[in-house]
Amino acid sequence: EAGVAQSPRYKIIEKRQSVAFWCNPISGHATLYWYQQILGQGPKLLIQFQNNGVVDDSQLPKDRFSAERLKGVDSTLKIQPAKLEDSAVYLCASSLVRGQGLGKLFFGSGTQLSVL
Amino acid sequence: EDKVVQSPLSLVVHEGDTVTLNCSYEVTNFRSLLWYKQEKKAPTFLFMLTSSGIEKKSGRLSSILDKKELFSILNITATQTGDSAIYLCAVTETSGSRLTFGEGTQLTVNP
């Protein structure tokens, strides 16, 4: 079974530039999550999709971050404009059904973003 | 707001040692507690606990939950260098499937 695919693996940009990350979840997984993990911290949820609808975006900085999941499969997370404090690993995860498995998520390898 | 606190934040041991990692939590409507192992970037699932006092085991790893005292421990016996990783604890609420993570414990196992 293919895992969660993310790209790019690494990205270096200057502050005020824009950047986009892509995620392809495990086939058949209805729920998709984007997490931000700053060095030395645990992952923090940015946004959760159920199919192509947003379930939870309460911790997404909406003035600069946006995400979409067209057709309920792939997802894109965008930052515009980037700030220094956005330097982090951005993890995408998916799960089979919302609430099913009580939190058993499958994570991708992440995108490491450095903002200079 | 849900809160998860892990200790210690880092730990260095020698191969063959036994380690105990701690996780305490505060959550309004607790549903489950999960342990993940993070090597490089992708966290991988280890255990999910929902009931108090029931130990989950997988090889040299085991975990138990105490819902009264609001904590969990992860034990690793006969540690190996391949156990070196960050171990993350997370909780979920009954209202959804969001995982709230602790800061993690960085475990280093030296040969």
Side-chain angles (χ1 to χ4, degrees), chain B residues 13-60:
Chain B
V13 301
H14 288 102
E15 267 192 316
D17 288 351
T18 293
V19 298
T20 298
L21 309 183
N22 303 294
C23 175
S24 64
Y25 62 90
E26 295 174 22
V27 61
T28 306
N29 297 297
F30 175 86
R31 179 162 67 173
S32 64
L33 184 144
L34 298 96
W35 285 96
Y36 280 81
K37 178 182 182 182
Q38 187 173 27
E39 298 171 277
K40 297 185 180 177
K41 295 197 190 75
T44 53
F45 173 81
L46 294 175
F47 296 113
M48 179 167 58
L49 303 129
T50 57
S51 301
S52 260
I54 298 175
E55 186 182 43
K56 292 280 184 91
K57 277 183 75 78
S58 176
R60 297 176 294 102

Side-chain angles (χ1 to χ4, degrees), chain B residues 45-100:
Chain B
F45 173 81
L46 294 175
F47 296 113
M48 179 167 58
L49 303 129
T50 57
S51 301
S52 260
I54 298 175
E55 186 182 43
K56 292 280 184 91
K57 277 183 75 78
S58 176
R60 297 176 294 102
L61 278 67
S62 64
S63 183
I64 196 160
L65 173 68
D66 186 326
K67 288 170 75 171
K68 183 179 177 185
E69 300 297 329
L70 307 182
F71 78 89
S72 173
I73 59 172
L74 175 68
N75 279 320
I76 308 175
T77 59
T79 52
Q80 302 170 358
T81 55
D83 295 327
S84 296
I86 297 172
Y87 290 84
L88 294 164
C89 174
V91 295
T92 67
E93 285 192 51
T94 54
S95 58
S97 57
R98 175 204 296 199
L99 289 176
T100 300

Side-chain angles (χ1 to χ4, degrees), chain A residues 1-5 23-32 51 69 72-74 93-97 106:
Chain A
E1 177 182 82
V4 177
C23 173
N24 188 347
I26 292 173
S27 178
H29 280 199
T31 309
L32 184 147
N51 296 310
R69 192 183 182 197
V73 181
D74 293 7
S94 67
S95 64
L96 192 57
V97 176
F106 297 84

Side-chain angles (χ1 to χ4, degrees), chain A residues 50-113:
Chain A
Q50 174 73 12
N51 296 310
N52 60 350
V54 176
V55 173
D56 184 350
D57 65 356
S58 57
Q59 299 186 100
L60 185 74
K62 297 180 185 66
D63 57 334
R64 298 182 302 105
F65 285 67
S66 64
E68 60 182 11
R69 192 183 182 197
L70 300 175
K71 301 179 183 177
V73 181
D74 293 7
S75 177
T76 303
L77 176 70
K78 295 180 182 176
I79 308 174
Q80 182 179 14
K83 292 186 175 181
L84 296 176
E85 58 260 35
D86 298 332
S87 294
V89 175
Y90 290 84
L91 294 163
C92 180
S94 67
S95 64
L96 192 57
V97 176
R98 178 187 177 192
Q100 187 268 349
L102 303 174
K104 186 176 177 181
L105 274 57
F106 297 84
F107 284 86
S109 296
T111 296
Q112 183 157 351
L113 174 67

